[in-house]
Amino acid sequence: MKRSEVDLEKLSPMMKQYMDIKAQYEDSILFFRLGDFYEMFFEDAVLASRELELTLTGKQAGIGERVPMCGVPFKAYSGYLDKLIEKGYKVAICEQLEDPKTTKDMVKRDVIQVVTKGTRLDRTIDAKENNYIGSIYDFEYCYVLSYADISTGEFKSMLLDADWGVLLREISRLSLKELIVNDKFDRALILKLRQNYQLMVTITDELYQEDEYKRIYQNTKDIRIITGVEHLLYYLLDTKKGDLSHLQEVVVEKESEHLILNGNTMYNLELVETMRTRERQNSLLWFLDKNKTAMGSRFLKQSIESPLTDRKEIERRYDLVDTLRVQFILRDDLKEALDRVYDLERLSGRVAYGNLNARDLLQLKTSLKVLPEIKRILEELSYDKEIETFEELYALLEKAINEDAPISIREGSLIKEGYNEELDQLRGIRSGSKDFLLQFEQEEKERTGIKTLKVGYNKIFGYYIEVSKGQISQIKDEFGYERRQTLSNCERFSTPLLKEKENIILGAEEKIINLEYQLFMDIREVVKRYIAPLQKTAKVLAEVDMLQAFSTIADDYHFVRPCLVEQKEIRMIESRHPVIERVMQNKYIENDIIMDENTDILLITGPNMAGKSTYMRQLAIIVILAQIGSFVPCTSCKMPIFDKIFTRIGASDDLVGGESTFMVEMKEANEALEEATEHSLILFDELGRGTATYDGMSLAQAILEYIHDKVHCKTLFSTHYHELTTLEETLPHLKNVHVSAQEEEGKLIFLHKVKKGAVDKSYGINVASLASLPQSLITRAKEILSIYETQESHERVFTQTSLFTLEEDEKNKEKDAIKEQLMNVNPLEMTPIEALNFLYQLKEECKKEEE
């Protein structure tokens, strides 16, 4: 049954209320609070039961037929919510807005928030990554991309050309979790974002028009940026429906302030995740993340994805890394102190929105306690930014919040003794009453002579006297016992005195819980006043944490300070790829990367597996490290500041987009050639291999000539087209280098050393041999190669000679296989029938060999 098929006039009042609320949230699954459950009805119930593997049942709704229903417990709903959000659904949380005990009418209900991938504020989001939600406002001649992380309060915006490629590059770089677009936005691109990027995309033209949050963009002059911010802000406030006062003033970004890396470049260089597993392990981010705080880890990821181009700021970071290396004792003290700092940014977000608990405040207190020590260390290091220490706030939390406070803020035990006089008095009453109960139980045992009598409590019947069935006959009328409950093995009673004390105890308990909750809310309001300075301090700590990590890495792996020059000159002596060096078992072979002002292109030749791609990648990695303010893996490094990096490394189809490897190659090459400037870096690995040999070679040469004559940027171009090495004679800014290897007794040994000049021969068959291809195949390949090299008749290429003749060693391998089976079996562990079957199997294999 669907909602559209229901006669609204016949529905029960509760179901009418559901229908009215659901009509406002058609694009969301509505979690409708009924007592101790969140329930879903109609299409929502069918969908949720399938996605969450819940039992689909029915509910009477005032009509003849039961409507589809499923539900999840209120106290354990978060796991179910997480699953739906990860699957890309929106969930509207509809709460009871009043206590059912206090009203005779229908309980008021309404949606208190809509939860989506991009608007999460809970603890399930990755602590080391930002959770960005973005808005694209299409002005037809340009885009405004605004994005925010409401868990930290960060808010940023930028103007982009009306270019799909540029827009997709930024979306990929930011790893947006959700996107909002205006109605003018191209529907074909929306489809691409949903299908290829798995993004939740919402279309709306609504803009924020109130005054409360105008402070976010009050200092922004560009009306386009303001419109983009208002577009995102409206959606955030409409979904969260709570206090978002922690949202910070928008930062307007400019492309020129950062080294531009598109999605392919980040993927090919494995900056934040590896190509094979798509995991953080063995990426550059993994290698660099020696941070002690979640804030530092997020700042590091942001830095890797958007390296700097401001030389002054880069050099400032170098100076601080240098200072931390020299002052290594202070650095160790700093690391120890930072290790005790929790995530101040996300704690601030939870304080503002109101979904924090007492343990969050304890984490905040622990963090504040160590700030004076961090401030002292930074002053000794002559660090150029200030942090606050929040002594008054720390004193409040130290005095108020109980160290053993529970997660729930509705169960009491939140506030320390001595913080509030009224609370202490109520606790005294509760404590005295409980002492009374112990004494009362003892007195009743003596008065009645029933030694097994006991006083107990439950939420339904309150306090009671429990007497077992076997002792019921001992109860006399003069005891004044009033029966309250009959169970299979006992009877429960009360007395006027017990009722009186029950009212006092329960009254005090309820007052304690309510008072503690109110005191906690009051403390939260005090903490809210510190959100802005807390966020400012958090940013400073994030940078300090990242720089101490850079300093530690520089010491551990012998990194050096780069020398940034104005000239277009690269001179990296004994450079290494830091990630590969760390994970490989053998000693890493260092290589020089030298490109003087007159050299724009290095044409790299050499066998597969020799290290051409690694050589190219390590140049880009060193550039990125240098431009985020880190030292680099070289013995010396001189380089200019780059504005963009483009890569085409490895072969892959775009199956979703229906594009072949070659088409993907050409599109990525075109993007580089169109957007690169003379200050860019291009890395092309075997470009042109996706088509016929002469086509590929021709295109590769034309691209090299275009870069040489038109673009003039630093380029590394690896190839197996050895004919291209002659370009060194006609292109003055192109130089040949090769990755060396040597042959010993027919075996290929990779030296992984880059040398000047072109390689003298190809080693493709040798590499195939290393891959353990059949020896007969290798022999045949050598025969065919000989025919090509001596330019004999092509007819011989297609004649079969020894292709299917087994070499002697291959025969031996088959014999060895039978021997291996015999060696692996234990006759003592075989039954007679298993032994006969095994002998029969070996005999059949021998017969096949004879044939």
Side-chain angles (χ1 to χ4, degrees):
M1 180 186 294
K2 297 181 179 179
R3 285 189 296 124
S4 57
E5 300 170 350
V6 174
D7 184 349
L8 298 179
E9 297 300 322
K10 295 181 179 179
L11 287 173
S12 65
M14 184 279 292
M15 193 54 69
K16 282 183 180 178
Q17 185 186 51
Y18 169 84
M19 296 288 273
D20 290 341
I21 295 173
K22 174 62 184 175
Q24 302 173 50
Y25 298 93
E26 294 286 355
D27 63 344
S28 304
I29 296 173
L30 184 64
F31 274 28
F32 191 74
R33 178 76 180 275
L34 285 174
D36 291 334
F37 283 83
Y38 284 121
E39 295 187 359
M40 290 145 274
F41 303 102
F42 298 104
E43 293 94 332
D44 282 0
V46 175
L47 176 62
S49 65
R50 182 181 71 245
E51 296 289 3
L52 300 176
E53 300 179 359
L54 299 172
T55 300
L56 183 64
T57 181
K59 186 178 183 69
Q60 294 293 344
I63 56 179
E65 187 178 350
R66 289 163 65 89
V67 304
M69 182 196 83
C70 68
V72 297
F74 161 71
K75 290 188 176 180
Y77 80 97
S78 58
Y80 299 100
L81 177 66
D82 293 342
K83 287 182 181 179
L84 290 174
I85 298 306
E86 285 305 311
K87 290 174 181 283
Y89 296 104
K90 295 181 179 181
V91 179
I93 308 295
C94 179
E95 274 293 349
Q96 298 174 166
L97 301 182
E98 55 187 358
D99 190 339
K101 297 176 183 176
T102 63
T103 180
K104 295 180 181 179
D105 300 321
M106 174 69 64
V107 175
K108 291 180 182 178
R109 294 180 176 88
D110 205 351
V111 170
I112 60 167
Q113 65 168 316
V114 179
V115 185
T116 65
K117 268 192 176 182
T119 60
R120 306 206 70 169
L121 268 167
D122 51 45
R123 295 157 186 80
T124 60
I125 51 179
D126 192 334
K128 294 191 173 186
E129 290 191 17
N130 283 101
N131 196 62
Y132 286 133
I133 179 173
S135 153
I136 301 172
Y137 204 91
D138 187 351
F139 284 96
E140 297 182 322
Y141 64 91
C142 74
Y143 297 119
V144 172
L145 172 59
S146 304
Y147 60 98
D149 181 345
I150 64 169
S151 69
T152 65
E154 296 167 79
F155 211 127
K156 299 179 182 180
S157 188
M158 66 179 76
L159 277 174
L160 298 172
D161 294 334
D163 182 312
W164 280 24
V166 173
L167 184 61
L168 291 173
R169 179 192 73 207
E170 291 302 317
I171 290 172
S172 178
R173 176 179 70 84
L174 296 169
S175 300
L176 297 177
K177 300 298 187 293
E178 186 179 353
L179 196 58
I180 299 94
V181 300
N182 64 328
D183 194 55
K184 290 182 181 178
F185 196 75
D186 193 290
R187 294 303 190 269
L189 187 51
I190 291 176
L191 185 63
K192 185 179 180 75
L193 290 168
R194 285 172 173 166
Q195 293 182 346
N196 295 16
Y197 290 74
Q198 286 77 52
L199 267 175
M200 177 191 291
V201 182
T202 302
I203 303 171
T204 177
D205 282 339
E206 297 287 351
L207 301 177
Y208 176 75
Q209 299 293 339
E210 306 299 324
D211 293 329
E212 185 178 357
Y213 291 93
K214 282 191 175 180
R215 61 172 180 77
I216 293 173
Y217 52 85
Q218 65 183 2
N219 294 319
T220 304
K221 306 302 179 186
D222 194 320
I223 190 63
R224 296 167 298 180
I225 295 287
I226 292 174
T227 302
V229 172
E230 289 176 336
H231 188 234
L232 178 55
L233 194 53
Y234 176 86
Y235 182 83
L236 293 179
L237 292 167
D238 187 53
T239 54
K240 297 315 292 177
K241 300 181 184 298
D243 187 348
L244 297 180
S245 57
H246 67 293
L247 289 177
Q248 301 167 34
E249 184 175 345
V250 65
V251 175
V252 181
E253 294 186 312
K254 296 178 181 177
E255 284 192 326
S256 60
E257 295 173 347
H258 301 285
L259 169 61
I260 294 173
L261 308 167
N262 62 21
N264 292 321
T265 298
M266 294 178 61
Y267 174 72
N268 289 327
L269 297 178
E270 300 186 309
L271 297 184
V272 298
E273 63 183 17
T274 59
M275 296 172 67
R276 187 170 62 87
T277 65
R278 305 306 295 260
E279 293 179 353
R280 185 188 182 99
Q281 180 86 10
N282 295 334
S283 67
L284 180 65
L285 176 60
W286 165 80
F287 172 78
L288 291 174
D289 194 0
K290 304 291 185 186
N291 293 282
K292 296 298 182 180
T293 68
M295 301 172 292
S297 293
R298 289 197 300 271
F299 187 64
L300 171 63
K301 186 171 185 287
Q302 292 172 17
S303 299
I304 292 173
E305 292 169 339
S306 297
L308 302 172
T309 54
D310 183 342
R311 178 172 177 171
K312 183 178 179 181
E313 177 59 21
I314 295 171
E315 294 280 9
R316 171 187 165 273
R317 290 186 182 180
Y318 291 163
D319 291 340
L320 293 166
V321 173
D322 234 346
T323 301
L324 286 163
R325 290 188 69 188
V326 173
Q327 301 283 355
F328 58 88
I329 295 176
L330 282 176
R331 181 186 67 194
D332 290 345
D333 291 343
L334 177 63
K335 288 162 67 173
E336 184 181 343
L338 287 169
D339 202 26
R340 288 176 277 161
V341 176
Y342 287 88
D343 196 338
L344 292 178
E345 287 181 318
R346 287 189 169 158
L347 285 173
S348 297
R350 291 201 285 274
V351 167
Y353 190 67
N355 63 334
L356 82 162
N357 56 41
R359 295 190 186 179
D360 291 326
L361 291 185
L362 289 173
Q363 289 182 359
L364 177 59
K365 186 188 81 170
T366 300
S367 304
L368 299 182
K369 184 177 182 179
V370 78
L371 289 184
E373 172 68 6
I374 294 175
K375 183 180 177 69
R376 178 192 65 78
I377 294 170
L378 295 181
E379 287 174 351
E380 286 194 46
L381 293 169
S382 300
Y383 185 65
D384 57 356
K385 294 181 181 178
E386 289 285 330
I387 65 167
E388 291 190 42
T389 51
F390 305 99
E391 285 91 349
E392 290 183 3
L393 180 56
Y394 172 77
L396 170 65
L397 298 177
E398 171 65 19
K399 182 180 180 182
I401 305 299
N402 190 350
E403 300 291 348
D404 300 319
I407 292 177
S408 171
I409 59 175
R410 295 281 189 177
E411 296 178 4
S413 300
L414 301 173
I415 306 300
K416 280 184 176 179
E417 186 177 344
Y419 177 72
N420 180 271
E421 185 177 348
E422 182 184 355
L423 180 61
D424 289 345
Q425 290 174 352
L426 288 170
R427 284 173 171 167
I429 293 171
R430 181 180 63 180
S431 176
S433 298
K434 289 185 177 179
D435 291 341
F436 160 80
L437 291 173
L438 292 172
Q439 184 179 350
F440 178 78
E441 180 181 288
Q442 187 60 38
E443 289 175 353
E444 287 300 300
K445 285 179 179 179
E446 293 174 0
R447 183 164 77 97
T448 63
I450 304 172
K451 300 303 181 185
T452 57
L453 175 152
K454 62 181 180 181
V455 175
Y457 170 80
N458 67 31
K459 290 184 179 180
I460 298 173
F461 292 98
Y463 286 96
Y464 54 79
I465 300 167
E466 184 174 288
V467 179
S468 65
K469 289 287 188 183
Q471 305 295 319
I472 292 296
S473 60
Q474 297 185 41
I475 296 177
K476 301 175 183 178
D477 291 341
E478 59 262 29
F479 292 167
Y481 280 15
E482 300 173 8
R483 193 182 306 275
R484 300 198 71 171
Q485 187 182 15
T486 300
L487 300 178
S488 61
N489 62 340
C490 66
E491 295 280 351
R492 291 175 175 173
F493 303 90
S494 185
T495 68
L497 179 60
L498 186 58
K499 285 182 181 179
E500 180 184 340
K501 282 297 180 181
E502 177 182 82
N503 292 332
I504 295 172
I505 295 169
L506 295 183
E509 192 72 46
E510 184 177 356
K511 287 178 181 178
I512 287 170
I513 290 173
N514 291 337
L515 180 55
E516 287 202 59
Y517 176 77
Q518 186 56 54
L519 291 171
F520 183 83
M521 290 295 103
D522 292 343
I523 293 167
R524 194 199 84 182
E525 290 302 310
V526 174
V527 177
K528 277 178 70 174
R529 298 200 291 266
Y530 291 89
I531 285 178
L534 279 170
Q535 289 174 327
K536 185 177 178 181
T537 293
K539 288 186 183 302
V540 176
L541 294 178
E543 183 190 59
V544 167
D545 195 14
M546 184 182 77
L547 294 177
Q548 70 76 19
F550 289 169
S551 172
T552 300
I553 289 167
D555 280 349
D556 291 347
Y557 297 98
H558 309 294
F559 284 16
V560 300
R561 177 172 180 155
C563 176
L564 302 178
V565 296
E566 297 294 335
Q567 301 85 1
K568 284 179 58 181
E569 177 185 2
I570 296 175
R571 187 175 181 83
M572 299 172 180
I573 305 303
E574 295 186 359
S575 66
R576 294 116 54 201
H577 190 302
V579 182
I580 296 176
E581 182 184 32
R582 177 176 173 184
V583 300
M584 71 185 301
Q585 300 296 320
N586 304 320
K587 184 181 184 299
Y588 190 89
I589 304 300
E590 303 92 348
N591 274 299
D592 297 343
I593 305 175
I594 299 175
M595 301 176 76
D596 59 28
E597 289 190 81
N598 294 318
T599 303
D600 288 336
I601 303 171
L602 290 184
L603 184 62
I604 310 168
T605 50
N608 285 318
M609 296 175 59
K612 298 190 301 296
S613 297
T614 299
Y615 183 72
M616 299 171 74
R617 283 190 175 101
Q618 75 190 43
L619 169 58
I621 292 292
I622 289 169
V623 167
I624 290 168
L625 285 171
Q627 291 188 217
I628 65 175
S630 170
F631 286 13
V632 296
C634 307
T635 57
S636 69
C637 174
K638 182 186 291 186
M639 55 167 272
I641 292 175
F642 291 90
D643 62 357
K644 302 174 185 178
I645 297 179
F646 300 95
T647 66
R648 173 59 197 177
I649 300 175
S652 60
D653 295 337
D654 181 1
L655 297 178
V656 176
E659 295 177 345
S660 67
T661 297
F662 183 67
M663 176 59 79
V664 173
E665 265 190 356
M666 292 301 101
K667 283 192 169 183
E668 291 179 8
N670 179 62
E671 181 184 356
L673 298 178
E674 279 192 345
E675 296 188 22
T677 71
E678 63 177 328
H679 302 293
S680 300
L681 174 63
I682 293 178
L683 308 177
F684 282 160
D685 187 19
E686 298 184 37
L687 201 64
R689 63 183 165 183
T691 186
T693 301
Y694 291 114
D695 281 354
M697 190 188 309
S698 303
L699 279 165
Q701 179 170 337
I703 288 170
L704 282 167
E705 291 173 350
Y706 186 90
I707 294 172
H708 184 277
D709 298 337
K710 303 285 188 182
V711 184
H712 309 295
C713 71
K714 297 296 185 187
T715 303
L716 269 56
F717 195 112
S718 73
T719 185
H720 280 103
Y721 300 136
H722 293 178
E723 294 82 353
L724 296 177
T725 59
T726 60
L727 290 173
E728 187 179 53
E729 300 168 9
T730 57
L731 301 179
H733 302 300
L734 181 148
K735 302 296 180 188
N736 284 319
V737 296
H738 70 278
V739 186
S740 57
Q742 65 185 35
E743 224 175 331
E744 291 183 4
E745 299 178 358
K747 293 184 177 180
L748 187 64
I749 299 174
F750 298 114
L751 301 179
H752 301 293
K753 201 69 179 175
V754 177
K755 298 180 179 180
K756 293 181 180 179
V759 74
D760 55 357
K761 64 173 290 188
S762 177
Y763 294 96
I765 293 176
N766 302 74
V767 174
S769 180
L770 289 174
S772 299
L773 289 174
Q775 187 58 45
S776 57
L777 188 153
I778 298 298
T779 301
R780 176 60 174 156
K782 288 179 178 177
E783 291 176 6
I784 297 170
L785 177 64
S786 176
I787 294 169
Y788 278 128
E789 288 180 337
T790 56
Q791 297 184 345
E792 291 183 8
S793 171
H794 279 257
E795 290 181 4
R796 290 186 57 187
V797 175
F798 302 102
T799 60
Q800 292 185 5
T801 54
S802 61
L803 181 57
F804 298 106
T805 304
L806 291 175
E807 297 290 332
E808 190 63 30
D809 64 331
E810 289 179 89
K811 292 180 181 178
N812 290 334
K813 279 185 179 179
E814 293 189 359
K815 291 179 182 177
D816 289 342
I818 295 173
K819 181 181 177 181
E820 186 177 349
Q821 289 185 63
L822 286 167
M823 294 300 292
N824 288 336
V825 78
N826 186 351
L828 297 177
E829 294 179 353
M830 300 176 77
T831 65
I833 191 65
E834 286 175 341
L836 286 171
N837 287 335
F838 181 74
L839 286 171
Y840 180 81
Q841 182 184 345
L842 290 182
K843 184 178 179 181
E844 291 298 308
E845 289 182 15
C846 290
K847 279 183 181 179
K848 289 179 183 177
E849 284 182 32
E850 294 300 324
E851 293 172 1

